[in-house]
Amino acid sequence: MSNLEKTKNNIKKSKTKPIDEVFHCKPKVKNPENYKIEASGDFLANFEDFVYSKGFTGLSYTTIEDEFKYKFDVDYENIILVRALIPPEILKIEPNPHKHELMDDDFQNIVVGLFECLDYLRENGFGAVMINPIDREMDLRNCIVKSNTAVKGRNNICIFPEGPNVVLFAILCSIENLPFKKSNDNLWIKEYCSNCGRCIKLCPENAFDENENLIKRKCTGYKTGCGLCIVNCPFFSKGFDEIKSIYFKNIQK
């Protein structure tokens, strides 16, 4: 047995339910066995246009570790991260055990569009596999930071130009020449967040330790849909462009 086979055998498959079991939606196109690995610039541009036409607000690209690709039983090295906005009217609802049901209902159409994006890749000859966005074994927030398209705030939420009220979806794919970003234009957010702290001060569960690190077991976001740290974030309440303008005006003084 090769070292590669031994590594695969020692890694447990993901225990999280597949996304099609959560949202009761399935791809219509079979994943190609002899998949392509190179995509033309025109195809990538058309694919992005297709993704945006389904209501998504952005795409990011990065690589994954061997541990994760073996968990999902594929040999693909790269991941496409697709994001959509959580509607403010839902986010502002008081936390309760049924709030996630409203969020799931709202995202049903988005997930249908997500599977259409998956099928788009497959019908054009590329291998593609969907990942459940709440897979605890594969933190998509770390992937998005690695992609250089967002910065993780003090509340462990990723902040994008469209705001912090973003949900991430992920597609493992066979395309090797994805348009990876080499640098992050928004690293200034880290300094802004270090001088803000509203998410920590206003957390109803005190879900931060003495070093201001999020205590995941105390955060009720997954249980009650609590999003108060997002609602009270200036990037949500005032908007990304206004906060950016204020920040750079202050550092120029």
Side-chain angles (χ1 to χ4, degrees):
M1 183 181 293
S2 67
N3 289 333
L4 179 60
E5 291 173 328
K6 289 179 181 178
T7 300
K8 289 184 177 181
N9 290 337
N10 289 332
I11 293 175
K12 296 179 180 179
K13 294 294 186 290
S14 174
K15 296 179 181 179
T16 306
K17 284 186 177 181
I19 188 172
D20 55 358
E21 292 184 16
V22 177
F23 287 98
H24 308 293
C25 186
K26 292 183 179 294
K28 297 179 180 178
V29 181
K30 186 178 179 180
N31 207 23
E33 293 183 7
N34 299 316
Y35 52 80
K36 297 191 294 186
I37 61 173
E38 294 288 327
S40 68
D42 286 343
F43 173 80
L44 290 171
N46 290 335
F47 173 68
E48 291 198 359
D49 288 342
F50 185 81
V51 171
Y52 285 120
S53 74
K54 298 301 174 182
F56 295 98
T57 60
L59 295 91
S60 305
Y61 309 96
T62 190
T63 58
I64 62 168
E65 304 299 327
D66 285 347
E67 177 184 359
F68 294 123
K69 70 178 183 179
Y70 297 149
K71 279 183 183 295
F72 297 99
D73 199 26
V74 295
D75 292 325
Y76 317 144
E77 302 283 346
N78 300 327
I79 188 170
I80 300 174
L81 295 152
V82 184
R83 57 189 187 266
L85 288 178
I86 302 173
E89 60 271 20
I90 291 181
L91 196 60
K92 291 178 181 179
I93 295 174
E94 288 295 317
N96 67 80
H98 301 291
K99 186 175 178 179
H100 266 302
E101 296 175 11
L102 294 175
M103 296 178 71
D104 288 348
D105 289 343
D106 185 79
F107 278 110
Q108 187 65 46
N109 289 334
I110 282 288
V111 172
V112 170
L114 187 68
F115 275 96
E116 291 176 349
C117 295
L118 180 80
D119 287 336
Y120 188 98
L121 291 168
R122 290 180 172 184
E123 66 188 7
N124 281 279
F126 299 103
V129 175
M130 196 80 69
I131 296 174
N132 189 328
I134 61 169
D135 193 318
R136 299 299 184 90
E137 298 167 339
M138 186 175 186
D139 193 336
L140 296 185
R141 289 168 295 191
N142 291 335
C143 291
I144 204 71
V145 169
K146 185 179 177 183
S147 74
N148 288 317
T149 51
V151 171
K152 193 185 294 185
R154 286 165 74 177
N155 59 351
N156 212 35
I157 296 295
C158 290
I159 300 171
F160 297 87
E162 59 264 45
N165 55 317
V166 169
V167 63
L168 294 171
F169 300 96
I171 300 174
L172 290 174
C173 79
S174 65
I175 302 175
E176 295 183 355
N177 62 324
L178 292 172
F180 303 108
K181 282 195 69 177
K182 295 183 179 180
S183 60
N184 194 329
D185 303 325
N186 293 312
L187 293 179
W188 59 270
I189 294 173
K190 290 185 178 181
E191 183 177 351
Y192 179 88
C193 286
S194 69
N195 293 309
C196 177
R198 284 179 59 82
C199 54
I200 295 175
K201 297 172 186 174
L202 299 175
C203 176
E205 304 296 331
N206 295 315
F208 295 86
D209 63 21
E210 64 275 9
N211 296 315
E212 298 186 349
N213 296 314
L214 179 68
I215 306 171
K216 292 183 180 180
R217 60 180 175 79
K218 294 185 69 174
C219 176
T220 60
Y222 284 112
K223 297 178 182 177
T224 67
C226 179
L228 293 179
C229 58
I230 298 176
V231 172
N232 289 297
C233 175
F235 285 100
F236 176 81
S237 58
K238 295 184 178 180
F240 185 91
D241 290 338
E242 182 175 344
I243 295 301
K244 184 176 181 179
S245 176
I246 292 172
Y247 173 83
F248 283 102
K249 282 181 181 178
N250 288 337
I251 65 173
Q252 290 171 359
K253 291 181 180 179

